[in-house]
Amino acid sequence: GENVEQHPSTLSVQEGDSAVIKCTYSDSASNYFPWYKQELGKGPQLIIDIRSNVGEKKDQRIAVTLNKTAKHFSLHITETQPEDSAVYFCAASISNAGNMLTFGGGTRLMVKP
Amino acid sequence: DTGVSQNPRHKITKRGQNVTFRCDPISEHNRLYWYRQTLGQGPEFLTYFQNEAQLEKSRLLSDRFSAERPKGSFSTLEIQRTEQGDSAMYLCASSLGASGYTFGSGTRLTVV
């Protein structure tokens, strides 16, 4: 089955700096890669996703890149703000086979004001 | 419709007791998923429904676990004879086809 590795497990940045979180996956059939933000006591919230026919996607301060050959994808947050502090999870799935997600282990992002 | 609703938010039960959780998905979503999340880990897939049909079950879902989605609307997850290892956050999510999921806030189960 699919295995998703996520790094780093914790990341501390100064407000205004950029943050990058990286994930690798094992199943070359995976074609859908979402990123979730989880705040304390809440369920994960989808912040951006990318499908395998696209190499990069951007939404305001958030961007995701995908390298299918190397089987890795990354989340980039620019101009970080204290409210970006949360746990971020990457995931992978085969969207036309039930779309069951395999999650990475999470990255705790702390943005210091 | 304000999103995916899960009840209860917290459940404390004694080992050996049965518990049942409920999930109300976004009304037009045909897919419903259950995940389990332990502290410091990412969610792990348990089972998924398309409408009322349960189409996939993880090996994590032992015989003590059962899930239903009657009439393709709300879903229940029951755990029989709870064990301390069942303590976790149980997350429900729904989607329309293969679109992105919307997760609920989860039910935190503590088995004492």
Side-chain angles (χ1 to χ4, degrees):
Chain A
E2 176 67 279
N3 183 50
V4 177
E5 300 282 342
Q6 182 171 346
H7 300 280
S9 56
T10 60
L11 179 59
S12 182
V13 299
Q14 204 68 38
E15 182 177 0
D17 287 351
S18 295
V20 181
I21 303 170
K22 298 183 179 182
C23 289
T24 59
Y25 62 99
S26 61
D27 189 346
S28 56
S30 290
N31 59 2
Y32 176 65
F33 307 93
W35 286 87
Y36 287 85
K37 175 183 181 183
Q38 188 171 29
E39 296 173 321
L40 199 61
K42 297 184 179 180
Q45 177 190 6
L46 178 67
I47 56 172
I48 194 167
D49 56 12
I50 191 167
R51 298 186 186 271
S52 59
N53 57 346
V54 175
E56 184 174 355
K57 185 176 178 181
K58 191 172 182 181
D59 182 5
Q60 299 182 358
R61 297 186 297 109
I62 295 173
V64 58
T65 59
L66 171 65
N67 183 328
K68 282 219 71 179
T69 303
K71 290 191 277 190
H72 66 70
F73 56 114
S74 301
L75 178 72
H76 305 252
I77 306 174
T78 58
E79 301 170 21
T80 53
Q81 301 166 3
E83 51 266 38
D84 294 329
S85 296
V87 180
Y88 290 80
F89 292 98
C90 63
S93 74
I94 304 171
S95 66
N96 54 350
N99 206 25
M100 290 83 74
L101 297 175
T102 300
F103 283 83
T107 296
R108 180 171 298 280
L109 174 65
M110 293 168 285
V111 180
K112 296 177 287 186
Chain B
D1 197 26
T2 56
V4 178
S5 176
Q6 291 189 248
N7 287 288
R9 289 296 311 276
H10 304 275
K11 179 71 176 178
I12 300 174
T13 191
K14 291 185 178 179
R15 191 175 52 184
Q17 297 294 304
N18 299 345
V19 294
T20 300
F21 311 140
R22 177 178 171 125
C23 172
D24 287 273
I26 292 173
S27 56
E28 62 266 27
H29 284 184
N30 60 340
R31 291 188 181 181
L32 186 147
Y33 302 82
W34 286 98
Y35 283 76
R36 181 171 68 187
Q37 185 176 26
T38 53
L39 204 60
Q41 303 295 319
E44 295 174 295
F45 169 75
L46 292 179
T47 190
Y48 121 81
F49 292 84
Q50 179 148 313
N51 300 312
E52 67 274 12
Q54 188 173 18
L55 296 186
E56 193 75 30
K57 291 199 298 186
S58 162
R59 287 170 295 175
L60 293 175
L61 214 65
S62 77
D63 291 345
R64 297 183 297 106
F65 287 70
S66 63
E68 294 182 342
R69 192 184 183 197
K71 302 179 183 178
S73 56
F74 71 92
S75 176
T76 58
L77 178 67
E78 180 183 17
I79 309 174
Q80 296 182 328
R81 305 181 303 282
T82 51
E83 302 172 356
Q84 285 189 320
D86 297 332
S87 295
M89 175 78 84
Y90 289 85
L91 292 163
C92 176
S94 69
S95 72
L96 184 62
S99 65
Y101 290 14
T102 300
F103 277 93
S105 293
T107 293
R108 181 166 294 286
L109 174 66
T110 303
V111 182
V112 298

